[in-house]
Amino acid sequence: MISKNWILKALLFLFGAWLIFDMITWVIAEYLWFDEVGYLSVFRRRLLTQVGLWVLGVGLSAAFLFFNLAIADKFRTRAAIKSYHRFEDALFSPPPPSPPPALNLPWLSFLVIGPTMFMVVMILHYGYEFITDFNISLEQDLVVPLLPRRFDFAVIWEMITQQPIQWWQIGLSVALTMVVIIKPQLSLSAIAVFFSLGFGWVLSSHWINVLGFFYPTDFQITEGLFNKDIGFYIFILSAIDLVEFWLFGLFLLTLISCSLIYLLSGDSFNQGKFPGFSRFQQRHLHGLAGVFMLSMALRYWLNRYELLYSERGVVFGAGYTDVNVAEPAYYLMFFISILFALFLFWQAFFSVEVIKPYVEFFLKNMGLRRRRSQPKRYAKLFADSYSLRAILSVYILMGFCANVWLPEIVQRVIVQPNELERELPFMERNIQFTQQGFNLDNIEIETFDPDAELSLADLERNSLTIDNIRLWDQRPLLQTNRQLQQIRPYYEFLDAAIDRYTLLKPEEEQTPDNRTQKQQVIIAGRELDYQLVPEKAQTWINQHLVYTHGYGFTLSPVNKVAEGGLPKYFIKNIGPAPRFNSDTTLEVDPRVEDSIPIGKPRIYYGQLTNTNVMTGTKVLEFDFPSGDENVYNTYSGDGGILINSLWRRLLFAKYLKNWQMIFTRNFLPETKVLFRRQIPQRVKAIAPFLRYDKNPYLVAADSSPGQDVVPENAQDGKYLYWILDAYTTSSRYPYSDPEDGEFNYIRNSVKVVIDAYNGSIKFYYLSEPRDPLLITLRQIFPDLFEPIENMPQSLYQHIRYPQDLFTVQSERLLTYHMQDPRVFYNREDVWRIPTEIYGGQTQRVAPYYLIMKLPTEAMAEFILLQPFTPASRLNLIAWLAARSDSPQYGKLLLYQFPKQRLVFGPEQVEALINQEPRISEQISLWNRQGSRVLQGNLLVIPIEQSLLYVEPIYLEATDNSLPTLVRVIVAYENRIVMRPTLDESLQAVFDADPIEPAIIVPN
């Protein structure tokens, strides 16, 4: 007969073997993938660091917890205690006096249930932090997980007051309390395993913080409170905070666990009385309390630096109360924690009789000694030493007084009545460091005083700007693409990007010396979304062998309109046709066929490629539709991993959870598996410590052969690349206000280029401006980054200032453009992002790209622009420009309007447009049943020393939307016109007779 123990051991062995197999499978698959993309050294360093930290965290945590639990278990019975006392008394002191009266059941229940409930709160908090880090590490959704929140009374109070208590939390508390009482050793051992694994995972998930500790870089900027370089707070302090989070939880859990084991020893709960801790139990608990006090000392030492991120005062960062009250209090509690720890260690290792007279003398003079005549109301838990309960109670009371009550009193009584005077120097620091953190201190500020002298001649001199005024927004263009250019239901245009290309001018505008010009365009990739394949066709072969890639893209000038008000396409369609270039399968306008390479634009790696596929099989891949038939192809790129052996098929079947890979007969020796094909997922797997822009954008470029990003078979026409902006960020920049964000320091130091056909990835770094975080990352991963100078010129000319970063900087600039702390305190000059009406809805004006000539420059360039208005008014107050063209890439210019001038803001112009009777009447006429009007983005366009406002008007059907551009509104000064084309509107505005009405609309 097979015993139950044997079955249990067999099941545990199989489960352990499966876990080991799963881990080995993951490591080998990841190894092969990183080898494919060329970053094996990155994977090795990361893996070794994570494994080392996990082993260190789990090993030391488990060793400390189970060592102390074993000691507590050994000496929890009276026989074991008496046996030890005979040895102990011979070494340290004479036998103790007669035992004190026993602790009765009510007090015992309180001392058991209270710590158990506290442990439940610990489990909830630490469990949340463990799970959060686990999810983030799996999804690789952030730069790195934010440092875990410390467990303190603020967290406990928040859990009690701000979050509604769930039924499962009550159930967990009751269940854990019962289990601890019934099976203390088993339940506490299980909790110890949970915390050990959790601590190991947290340490391993913050591997980049640990590596940064060993490769710090000075910022060459010193903060004023502790006079330390900013690098100390970002690299050194982050790692120490992580260690403190670990040690504090470890020591506190061990102290509570051993206390519960001793309180429940000798069947005390069933007997209803507890005779008190034995001498050895006292020594053990005092020793554990001593190491816990050392962790508290470390916390108070770190709390001094945490004041630089304080939110107590009027601004983010250390304020008057923090510097003059909280910091001295933390110093005081740091030294008291050390003294208490030494006192507890003395009681743990030596007899208290040696120092007892001195302690009694101190207590007597402090008036803290209890009168001997006072009768005992409960049993003394500690027979011959000072009570641990008393020590911890005094310590907690002192902590509350020094860290909570006293700072709050000073803040309310001393600071708030004189806040401006008290906080003035700290507001200066906050402004200075916030501007540094978000790179706002390098903004060049100019005055823009608009005049009313713009003429048609000025427009002709700025023809490049006029020719690139954006009439087509991404939203209506994508809707049109989905109606006209998806070709098949399984194609999708997920996004469209604004970019610029150098193209031939129209023939009538060409001269022998000047045949080309910059053209702002919208480019959109035609990707294959497998979810849109008809449900009955979603078979395993179709998913993994046939539908493998998207095909082609559309390219549209932002300012051109085709017949019927539809977008004009430079590149469109798929399939053979007489007009097509013989070297490609897309319809290409003659104006761009010599400027933009097309080739065979297959998209194997993109934003919608979320399936793993196998190429080079017996089954041909669907390439593109051609009339009523389909064209098929076999992948010939460099991407993918060979699965030409049984063990590799088994490996990836397990890794990808795709077991049919083992049984299919469609594989060949040259078959490859392509996985992790989505752009964000692909780059985050390599460098999860960077923060990435939300929108990678597509670029069609013919890079010179021999460049790393270009495949060897470049002649086949694989010319599509994705460019993705990456950021180095930190939440540890002193005084810099994150404004509810996840970081208070950000730099766009990295440009990532991904080959849409081969899947190769290159990380290019910008050497200017100096970014210490990037310097540290380059030291940690010397093979990961390449200088931007190595980027092929055909790709380099398409880099642009990222919109996500610009949005963040614009948000901070709303408040932090104010340099005077008095003005800042009074919020006298706060700005805001203006709003506009778009598609009948009110929304904030998003930053937009323009090709324009800055007032201080001689040539037009590609910039990103954001207008601002005052917080309490609607007029325009300033606009911020970010430059994208070399050699001025990355520079920010802020143009401020004179405050005594009234310059119309977007909302005011929108109001003028919508309240004009004839325009309003026309829009109402179009907004009849079956159709509706979309008012596009209202663009504020600086030209010379004037401002031009342009808003496109689209008309779309309520069903099967196909937006068409029907009118263009142009506003200048007090004149507004609406005409079918931009040229007609401009002509009408600037040809208007001065005696004519201010508002001009079509009859």
Side-chain angles (χ1 to χ4, degrees):
M1 184 175 178
I2 300 176
S3 66
K4 293 182 178 180
N5 288 338
W6 188 91
I7 295 176
L8 179 61
K9 291 179 180 179
L11 291 175
L12 289 175
F13 173 78
L14 292 175
F15 179 71
W18 179 257
L19 287 179
I20 294 174
F21 174 66
D22 187 71
M23 181 179 64
I24 293 174
T25 299
W26 182 88
V27 170
I28 296 176
E30 290 290 315
Y31 183 95
L32 292 173
W33 186 83
F34 274 88
D35 186 45
E36 175 214 339
V37 295
Y39 294 109
L40 196 55
S41 61
V42 175
F43 174 68
R44 282 198 297 260
R45 179 127 211 197
R46 175 183 173 182
L47 181 63
L48 291 176
T49 304
Q50 284 190 287
V51 171
L53 290 172
W54 189 85
V55 170
L56 180 70
V58 174
L60 292 182
S61 299
F64 186 82
L65 281 165
F66 283 99
F67 175 73
N68 283 280
L69 289 177
I71 292 176
D73 183 61
K74 180 177 180 181
F75 291 98
R76 66 189 176 93
T77 61
R78 309 308 300 177
I81 293 170
K82 290 179 180 178
S83 173
Y84 184 82
H85 278 175
R86 289 194 294 269
F87 170 74
E88 182 189 41
D89 292 341
L91 291 178
F92 297 108
S93 60
S98 58
L103 196 70
N104 57 24
L105 183 60
W107 277 104
L108 179 61
S109 300
F110 173 77
L111 290 178
V112 171
I113 295 175
T116 304
M117 292 297 183
F118 189 80
M119 186 183 295
V120 171
V121 177
M122 279 189 68
I123 292 173
L124 292 174
H125 172 73
Y126 281 95
Y128 174 80
E129 297 298 332
F130 297 159
I131 293 172
T132 300
D133 275 12
F134 181 78
N135 290 335
I136 290 173
S137 298
L138 287 185
E139 298 173 4
Q140 298 173 339
D141 195 31
L142 296 175
V143 183
V144 289
L146 295 175
L147 289 174
R149 289 186 63 187
R150 293 173 171 177
F151 182 68
D152 53 24
F153 284 105
V155 170
I156 297 173
W157 182 252
E158 179 181 327
M159 294 177 67
I160 294 174
T161 60
Q162 296 185 7
Q163 298 180 2
I165 299 177
Q166 305 291 330
W167 64 268
W168 63 268
Q169 294 174 337
I170 299 175
L172 176 63
S173 303
V174 173
L176 184 60
T177 303
M178 294 178 60
V179 172
V180 167
I181 293 174
I182 298 172
K183 293 285 186 180
Q185 195 70 27
L186 178 63
S187 59
L188 294 174
S189 296
I191 294 172
V193 170
F194 170 73
F195 271 81
S196 298
L197 293 174
F199 286 136
W201 187 268
V202 168
L203 290 178
S204 66
S205 65
H206 290 270
W207 58 279
I208 194 65
N209 295 100
V210 177
L211 288 176
F213 177 85
F214 294 102
Y215 295 91
T217 302
D218 286 344
F219 277 66
Q220 300 175 4
I221 299 173
T222 302
E223 60 81 26
L225 183 56
F226 299 104
N227 295 315
K228 290 185 177 294
D229 186 86
I230 302 299
F232 168 79
Y233 300 98
I234 290 182
F235 299 112
I236 307 299
L237 198 61
S238 296
I240 300 176
D241 279 337
L242 192 64
V243 173
E244 187 274 335
F245 171 83
W246 171 37
L247 295 181
F248 179 87
L250 178 65
F251 295 154
L252 180 59
L253 178 68
T254 307
L255 176 61
I256 294 175
S257 299
C258 291
S259 299
L260 288 173
I261 289 177
Y262 288 144
L263 286 168
L264 295 170
S265 62
D267 203 22
S268 60
F269 210 80
N270 290 334
Q271 296 180 12
K273 62 180 180 179
F274 178 68
F277 293 114
S278 72
R279 187 179 304 164
F280 179 77
Q281 290 172 346
Q282 296 172 46
R283 293 181 186 277
H284 186 202
L285 293 179
H286 281 119
L288 292 177
V291 294
F292 173 68
M293 280 296 171
L294 289 181
S295 71
M296 286 299 303
L298 176 62
R299 169 166 291 191
Y300 280 116
W301 182 77
L302 294 175
N303 280 347
R304 299 180 303 118
Y305 299 116
E306 292 297 324
L307 292 173
L308 298 178
Y309 315 102
S310 170
E311 299 181 11
R312 177 185 285 120
V314 68
V315 292
F316 185 85
Y320 179 89
T321 302
D322 299 311
V323 172
N324 294 283
V325 180
E327 184 191 0
Y330 288 147
Y331 268 120
L332 175 64
M333 293 304 298
F334 168 75
F335 288 113
I336 289 177
S337 300
I338 296 293
L339 291 176
F340 274 31
L342 294 176
F343 182 68
L344 290 166
F345 285 141
W346 184 278
Q347 291 197 116
F349 292 102
F350 305 99
S351 172
V352 76
E353 298 296 332
V354 178
I355 60 172
K356 189 171 184 178
Y358 302 99
V359 177
E360 294 290 345
F361 177 79
F362 173 76
L363 294 176
K364 181 179 180 181
N365 283 276
M366 293 293 294
L368 299 175
R369 187 178 181 185
R370 188 178 65 182
R371 292 177 299 174
R372 295 184 181 275
S373 59
Q374 181 178 350
K376 293 183 178 180
R377 297 184 179 181
Y378 48 83
K380 185 177 181 182
L381 296 178
F382 294 86
D384 63 345
S385 64
Y386 293 99
S387 172
L388 181 61
R389 173 184 55 81
I391 293 173
L392 292 179
S393 299
V394 171
Y395 182 78
I396 292 172
L397 181 62
M398 293 178 64
F400 263 104
C401 291
N403 303 321
V404 180
W405 295 332
L406 183 59
E408 186 65 22
I409 292 172
V410 171
Q411 183 71 21
R412 291 179 179 272
V413 176
I414 298 178
V415 177
Q416 290 183 358
N418 307 281
E419 197 167 51
L420 178 59
E421 178 186 352
R422 303 286 187 188
E423 301 285 11
L424 194 65
F426 306 106
M427 286 190 289
E428 291 177 346
R429 290 182 186 175
N430 173 258
I431 295 171
Q432 174 190 355
F433 283 90
T434 301
Q435 290 182 344
Q436 291 174 1
F438 293 94
N439 204 26
L440 303 179
D441 56 330
N442 292 320
I443 294 178
E444 299 177 24
I445 302 176
E446 303 283 348
T447 299
F448 189 87
D449 191 0
D451 55 36
E453 301 177 359
L454 195 63
S455 64
L456 284 175
D458 295 322
L459 298 185
E460 291 177 2
R461 284 196 302 272
N462 291 270
S463 60
L464 189 58
T465 299
I466 300 301
D467 290 344
N468 284 281
I469 291 177
R470 179 162 58 87
L471 303 180
W472 285 102
D473 306 331
Q474 287 101 319
R475 175 180 161 184
L477 181 84
L478 284 173
Q479 288 177 320
T480 302
N481 275 5
R482 288 161 186 159
Q483 290 289 329
L484 303 179
Q485 290 296 311
Q486 285 193 180
I487 313 297
R488 292 289 189 272
Y490 38 76
Y491 285 130
E492 176 65 282
F493 289 92
L494 180 66
D495 195 14
I498 303 292
D499 203 351
R500 73 285 195 199
Y501 286 79
T502 301
L503 307 178
L504 288 173
K505 291 183 177 181
E507 290 186 7
E508 62 275 12
E509 299 178 13
Q510 294 182 18
T511 64
D513 297 330
N514 189 2
R515 301 180 62 239
T516 63
Q517 71 174 18
K518 282 186 178 179
Q519 173 68 59
Q520 191 174 189
V521 300
I522 303 180
I523 184 171
R526 185 186 291 105
E527 296 192 62
L528 191 147
D529 186 355
Y530 184 75
Q531 300 302 320
L532 300 178
V533 172
E535 184 176 354
K536 292 186 178 180
Q538 290 186 11
T539 63
W540 185 87
I541 288 181
N542 279 341
Q543 179 178 357
H544 299 288
L545 308 183
V546 177
Y547 291 105
T548 58
H549 61 278
Y551 199 95
F553 59 99
T554 64
L555 190 78
S556 310
V558 296
N559 62 322
K560 300 296 182 183
V561 182
E563 293 182 4
L566 295 172
K568 177 179 175 58
Y569 287 102
F570 283 156
I571 299 173
K572 62 180 180 179
N573 294 341
I574 311 177
R579 291 185 56 198
F580 288 11
N581 188 310
S582 59
D583 295 331
T584 183
T585 49
L586 303 183
E587 184 175 347
V588 183
D589 189 284
R591 183 180 167 189
V592 305
E593 61 184 357
D594 294 329
S595 305
I596 300 179
I598 309 298
K600 307 294 190 298
R602 302 180 178 100
I603 302 177
Y604 278 85
Y605 299 87
Q607 300 185 75
L608 291 175
T609 48
N610 57 357
T611 58
N612 53 80
V613 299
M614 297 85 196
T615 62
T617 66
K618 296 178 182 179
V619 179
L620 292 176
E621 304 167 39
F622 167 73
D623 204 23
F624 59 86
S626 178
D628 294 333
E629 299 180 353
N630 292 332
V631 177
Y632 294 89
N633 182 64
T634 298
Y635 180 69
S636 59
D638 298 331
I641 303 170
L642 285 172
I643 48 175
N644 52 3
S645 61
L646 180 60
W647 73 268
R648 287 198 174 204
R649 291 172 66 172
L650 179 62
L651 172 77
F652 283 104
K654 169 63 180 69
Y655 177 77
L656 299 173
K657 296 179 176 58
N658 190 346
W659 297 105
Q660 293 192 48
M661 291 177 62
I662 301 175
F663 307 106
T664 182
R665 298 184 178 182
N666 292 308
F667 290 174
L668 297 170
E670 59 270 20
T671 297
K672 294 180 179 181
V673 58
L674 282 63
F675 64 95
R676 201 174 276 154
R677 299 191 297 140
Q678 277 188 307
I679 298 304
Q681 180 190 31
R682 195 167 182 82
V683 295
K684 288 178 184 178
I686 299 171
F689 39 81
L690 296 174
R691 186 180 296 270
Y692 295 95
D693 199 89
K694 294 192 296 289
N695 298 308
Y697 59 98
L698 196 64
V699 171
D702 185 4
S703 303
S704 302
Q707 296 289 350
D708 289 337
V709 295
V710 180
E712 296 179 358
N713 52 356
Q715 65 274 12
D716 291 342
K718 285 77 179 181
Y719 300 126
L720 288 183
Y721 303 92
W722 297 95
I723 296 181
L724 178 61
D725 287 281
Y727 312 107
T728 54
T729 61
S730 174
S731 61
R732 308 296 294 171
Y733 202 91
Y735 287 102
S736 180
D737 190 354
E739 292 189 9
D740 299 325
E742 295 173 342
F743 53 86
N744 58 6
Y745 172 91
I746 183 170
R747 293 292 185 272
N748 175 220
S749 296
V750 180
K751 302 285 185 179
V752 189
V753 176
I754 305 98
D755 189 321
Y757 185 74
N758 293 278
S760 60
I761 307 167
K762 291 294 178 182
F763 294 81
Y764 296 99
Y765 69 88
L766 302 169
S767 55
E768 295 294 339
R770 181 179 182 271
D771 180 11
L773 265 71
L774 178 67
I775 295 173
T776 289
L777 290 174
R778 288 175 55 202
Q779 292 175 342
I780 297 173
F781 304 106
D783 300 328
L784 178 59
F785 302 100
E786 294 186 28
I788 195 69
E789 292 76 15
N790 289 358
M791 181 184 286
Q793 184 62 31
S794 59
L795 291 173
Y796 182 77
Q797 64 186 8
H798 290 285
I799 66 171
R800 64 184 192 182
Y801 201 88
Q803 198 165 356
D804 282 1
L805 172 62
F806 191 70
T807 300
V808 170
Q809 291 175 315
S810 298
E811 293 280 355
R812 297 301 180 274
L813 199 63
L814 299 178
T815 303
Y816 285 95
H817 68 276
M818 294 181 283
Q819 303 283 354
D820 188 336
R822 296 182 184 273
V823 175
F824 181 90
Y825 176 79
N826 294 323
R827 296 298 195 267
E828 296 176 13
D829 190 26
V830 176
W831 297 346
R832 67 182 180 88
I833 305 293
T835 60
E836 63 177 350
I837 298 175
Y838 188 94
Q841 302 293 325
T842 300
Q843 66 178 26
R844 300 177 75 182
V845 174
Y848 49 89
Y849 291 99
L850 287 174
I851 292 180
M852 60 164 286
K853 181 170 70 69
L854 293 169
T856 55
E857 299 296 327
M859 301 291 293
E861 56 187 287
F862 194 59
I863 69 163
L864 186 58
L865 187 142
Q866 175 70 71
F868 301 105
T869 61
S872 57
R873 300 191 306 278
L874 301 178
N875 59 286
L876 212 58
I877 192 67
W879 52 278
L880 180 67
R883 307 172 76 172
S884 294
D885 290 345
S886 180
Q888 308 298 332
Y889 175 84
K891 293 185 178 180
L892 296 176
L893 298 172
L894 180 65
Y895 290 90
Q896 294 181 317
F897 299 100
K899 294 183 179 180
Q900 67 274 14
R901 291 284 306 274
L902 176 62
V903 180
F904 283 153
E907 288 133 314
Q908 292 171 319
V909 175
E910 288 275 15
L912 289 174
I913 291 172
N914 291 317
Q915 73 187 21
E916 205 293 316
R918 284 165 289 184
I919 293 180
S920 177
E921 180 183 358
Q922 182 64 63
I923 291 177
S924 298
L925 183 62
W926 280 325
N927 271 327
R928 57 189 177 184
Q929 187 175 6
S931 65
R932 62 171 173 261
V933 170
L934 294 177
Q935 291 180 252
N937 294 132
L938 178 62
L939 305 181
V940 183
I941 304 171
I943 299 179
E944 299 293 340
Q945 286 297 125
S946 299
L947 294 176
L948 194 66
Y949 302 83
V950 177
E951 181 177 77
I953 302 295
Y954 311 100
L955 188 63
E956 66 173 357
T958 53
D959 298 323
N960 299 319
S961 172
L962 183 62
T964 57
L965 183 66
V966 292
R967 292 292 187 271
V968 178
I969 297 176
V970 173
Y972 176 68
E973 291 298 318
N974 62 343
R975 285 169 281 179
I976 299 176
V977 300
M978 184 170 72
R979 293 288 189 269
T981 67
L982 175 63
D983 290 341
E984 291 179 89
S985 295
L986 291 172
Q987 194 73 28
V989 167
F990 292 99
D991 273 356
D993 193 305
I995 65 173
E996 290 294 318
I999 305 286
I1000 307 173
V1001 295
N1003 295 327

